[in-house]
Amino acid sequence: DSELGKAYQALTNGETMIAIEIYKDILRASPTNQDALFGLATTYHRTGETDLARPFYGKLLTINPNHREGLNNFIVLMAEE
């Protein structure tokens, strides 16, 4: 959880690339970590890298089809495209 906090802090400080690397590190250790999947997908989405965001939203929603924020963001991404 402290790594998730570090990723979020990096995002709030405008250090997007650091946040992405932390989320990736978390996912290497725990590939089904929903918070890290959502964080990475959302970060890519916000930076306009929708091709990178889409698979992470997909994996998150495969693991948890009821993930409200993930589903909402994925629908927004699809509508934007």
Side-chain angles (χ1 to χ4, degrees), residues 2-12 15 18-19 22-23 26:
S2 65
E3 290 301 302
L4 287 168
K6 288 178 188 175
Y8 182 76
Q9 188 63 44
L11 275 177
T12 59
E15 299 170 324
I18 292 172
I22 295 170
Y23 285 131
I26 294 167

Side-chain angles (χ1 to χ4, degrees), residues 6-80:
K6 288 178 188 175
Y8 182 76
Q9 188 63 44
L11 275 177
T12 59
N13 289 337
E15 299 170 324
T16 305
M17 294 310 297
I18 292 172
I20 287 170
E21 289 307 314
I22 295 170
Y23 285 131
K24 286 181 177 180
D25 287 344
I26 294 167
L27 290 171
R28 276 191 276 282
S30 180
T32 59
N33 183 303
Q34 293 182 40
D35 292 327
L37 287 167
F38 179 69
L40 188 54
T42 301
T43 301
Y44 280 138
H45 189 176
R46 287 181 182 169
T47 59
E49 298 179 86
T50 56
D51 287 343
L52 296 174
R54 193 179 309 106
F56 289 103
Y57 283 133
K59 185 170 183 177
L60 172 63
L61 294 171
T62 298
I63 294 166
N64 180 1
N66 297 317
H67 192 283
R68 174 165 287 178
E69 295 88 358
L71 183 57
N72 183 57
N73 285 8
F74 186 66
I75 290 169
V76 168
L77 183 145
M78 300 314 285
E80 290 171 352

